[in-house]
Amino acid sequence: MVKIAIDVMGSDLGPKELLKGVRQFKEKYPNVELFVVGKLDEIEEAKDIATLVEASDVMGMEDGALEVMRKKNTSMLKAVELVKEGKCDGVVSAGSTGAFLTASTIRLKLIEGISRAALISPFPRYDGKAVTILDIGANNENTPHQIYQFAVMGALYSSKILNAHKPKLYLLSNGSEEKKGSPLIKEAHQLLKEHNFPNFMGNIEARDVLTSEADVVVTGGFEGNILLKSIEGTASMMNSMIKNAFKKSAISKIGYLFAKSGFDEMREKLDYRRYGGAMLVGLNNVVVKAHGSSNAYAFFNAIRVAKEMVEQDVISLLKEELKNGIKEEN
Amino acid sequence: MVKIAIDVMGSDLGPKELLKGVRQFKEKYPNVELFVVGKLDEIEEAKDIATLVEASDVMGMEDGALEVMRKKNTSMLKAVELVKEGKCDGVVSAGSTGAFLTASTIRLKLIEGISRAALISPFPRYDGKAVTILDIGANNENTPHQIYQFAVMGALYSSKILNAHKPKLYLLSNGSEEKKGSPLIKEAHQLLKEHNFPNFMGNIEARDVLTSEADVVVTGGFEGNILLKSIEGTASMMNSMIKNAFKKSAISKIGYLFAKSGFDEMREKLDYRRYGGAMLVGLNNVVVKAHGSSNAYAFFNAIRVAKEMVEQDVISLLKEELKNGIKEEN
């Protein structure tokens, strides 16, 4: 039976909202055993669907590595430790990314040969398929070799989890030509090319990420975060504009009634929440980071992602693949 | 009388389309003297509105620094030289950014104290105002000191050209807290803070660039390019989706008729073409890079931007400001 540790504290909307997602998950997947970690009075309502684990402290949304060392009794750390102790197979949190990365790396350790974990997530592509992007923000600085390892992890995720056949892999750059890019990206490009990385198609510009045939887009964590957040920001701004356009007059409101079904479909297509959380790949266990502003539905999906990762045994596959990749590398 | 050199070759849509923009410009601003540079048979139709300058060669869209050295007879280089020789006050091209940057830097030279030119452009903000972003792609790698210089140039552009009062300046990062960011951004942050840069508000995340009160957002050229292109890509994808949503059925088409005016307003608001070109700031003259895929309207606006920069004498203002900024700096 799959067992998931869930930290329900430290998110924007609070534990009440996240626990709704936990309940929805349990209703849909009664066979998954859940461990909910948090302040007892805030998690008590989940006692009929999960084992409750008390934690007296909460990691702040802006907490980083330092706070992980200092705050020994946070729900986040306790949730990670449930995995470390073998009581759970994976862990989910909507708390601070930096703290979650540090806590997981310290407690669960990186897979042998991996020098940095990365945040990986699928994004809705224009054609309805998904493009897997990493690193979307676990790192501030990367080496070409780390980018290469991200490529290995991204390709595996795309083929095993999203069932992409021979996933086409691109490197995010400021131009599609080989010679374009930051020093890091130019070197990473050469590394991927020299090793004949399977289906490496070259560089891709940010404007084409969602509309091309790319199955995997690899990037350093800083640029990846900017990519992710400008997509989110632009989409959310345009959604507000669409709402306003329909609200403009009594006549436009009638227009909405007529056009509603097409727009519902579009919203559904673009809804990042159906992808749930981003996985921290490169660690010895399944670690899923839900969006800090997750609602119940997004959190439900984050737990679902963790469950799928465990069931697909994606960590063992990664270890195997990386062993081969690293052999090639040396 | 303001004189502008215009390279009409080397763009996606070709000289015919760009010359339409030139004609529209001349009709609106008959007092500006235009020099159109290109292959004679392709520019001849503009002989009634501009001085024609023949160039036998065209810079390729992917050409960079090397080609600038080799191809002595390109329309781009000839257009830049018209400024160098004092025959024109500013130059506009929709050709290769890399080549244009190199040609301008070699021929027109950087302003004393500036170590890198940057591409600067206003973007439509959610509230209808504009946010000025730089560098959006002239550089692949920057130093903290260069980022500081970008801040000086951005603040000046925002206040003098866009009439922003005490422009609020932000640094693009992966988190709003001071400690967040790549090594470059962390150092640049400290530099801006130590010098009490006027109205420096701290870091901004990519998702907030278009929806916050930021008047200026400063970034390295590589990340800036990713920001710019993911905004463009997401907006263009969503525009296609909106079209499809309205086309979905006979009923949704009726919806469009009812909601049209609101959507026209939204499209107008988001249309980057009304901002015309991006200016290459940091050089001794006015250099405007039109989008490679410019249509007549976008090219018209790029020439308008060049004219305004010349009229506002933005280069002298920059030199003055930078002299102060650089004094402070040392």
Side-chain angles (χ1 to χ4, degrees), chain B residues 1 6 21-22 44 57 67 72 75 80 94-95 98-100 108 121 125 142 147 152 156 202 210 221 245 252 282 310:
Chain B
M1 190 190 255
I6 305 169
V22 177
E44 217 179 0
D57 206 355
E67 288 78 9
K72 302 287 183 200
S75 54
V80 171
F100 200 31
L108 308 177
S121 180
R125 223 164 66 175
N142 293 107
I147 300 279
V152 175
L156 193 80
L210 300 180
S252 64
V310 171

Side-chain angles (χ1 to χ4, degrees), chain B residues 114-170:
Chain B
I114 289 284
S115 62
R116 288 287 179 88
L119 265 176
I120 187 170
S121 180
F123 281 75
R125 223 164 66 175
Y126 183 63
D127 61 4
K129 295 186 183 170
V131 50
T132 297
I133 311 181
L134 79 164
D135 172 24
I136 53 171
N139 298 283
N140 280 328
E141 203 186 2
N142 293 107
T143 65
H145 190 83
Q146 284 162 4
I147 300 279
Y148 187 92
Q149 292 180 343
F150 295 170
V152 175
M153 299 196 281
L156 193 80
Y157 184 101
S158 176
S159 65
K160 298 294 174 190
I161 303 299
L162 301 174
N163 301 313
H165 179 63
K166 297 190 178 175
K168 292 190 174 64
L169 185 132
Y170 288 83

Side-chain angles (χ1 to χ4, degrees), chain A residues 172-299:
Chain A
L172 183 67
S173 192
N174 56 349
S176 55
E177 313 84 39
E178 187 178 332
K179 59 183 175 176
K180 286 283 179 77
S182 64
L184 168 69
I185 291 306
K186 282 184 202 163
E187 275 188 64
H189 189 114
Q190 289 313 312
L191 214 51
L192 288 161
K193 202 176 147 189
E194 281 161 18
H195 286 83
N196 293 315
F197 193 95
N199 307 302
F200 171 51
M201 315 296 287
N203 292 347
I204 191 167
E205 292 190 62
R207 86 157 61 85
D208 301 322
V209 165
L210 299 181
T211 47
S212 79
E213 42 153 40
D215 295 301
V216 185
V217 171
V218 181
T219 150
F222 188 70
E223 307 90 280
N225 190 266
I226 286 168
L227 174 73
L228 158 78
K229 287 183 183 156
S230 35
I231 291 173
E232 274 183 20
T234 311
S236 127
M237 181 179 87
M238 287 188 70
N239 275 329
S240 304
M241 284 177 151
I242 291 171
K243 265 186 213 153
N244 289 340
F246 277 126
K247 270 196 245 160
K248 203 178 166 241
S249 65
I251 289 189
S252 65
K253 279 178 196 160
I254 296 172
Y256 178 65
L257 297 179
F258 282 106
K260 191 174 176 302
S261 93
F263 279 88
D264 286 350
E265 219 171 64
M266 167 179 171
R267 204 166 299 124
E268 164 77 21
K269 216 178 191 178
L270 281 174
D271 191 354
Y272 73 90
R273 289 170 301 195
R274 78 184 153 116
Y275 290 110
M279 185 176 169
L280 268 168
V281 285
L283 298 159
N284 279 304
N285 300 85
V286 168
V287 179
V288 172
K289 166 71 179 80
H291 209 291
S293 60
S294 292
N295 62 7
Y297 176 57
F299 204 64

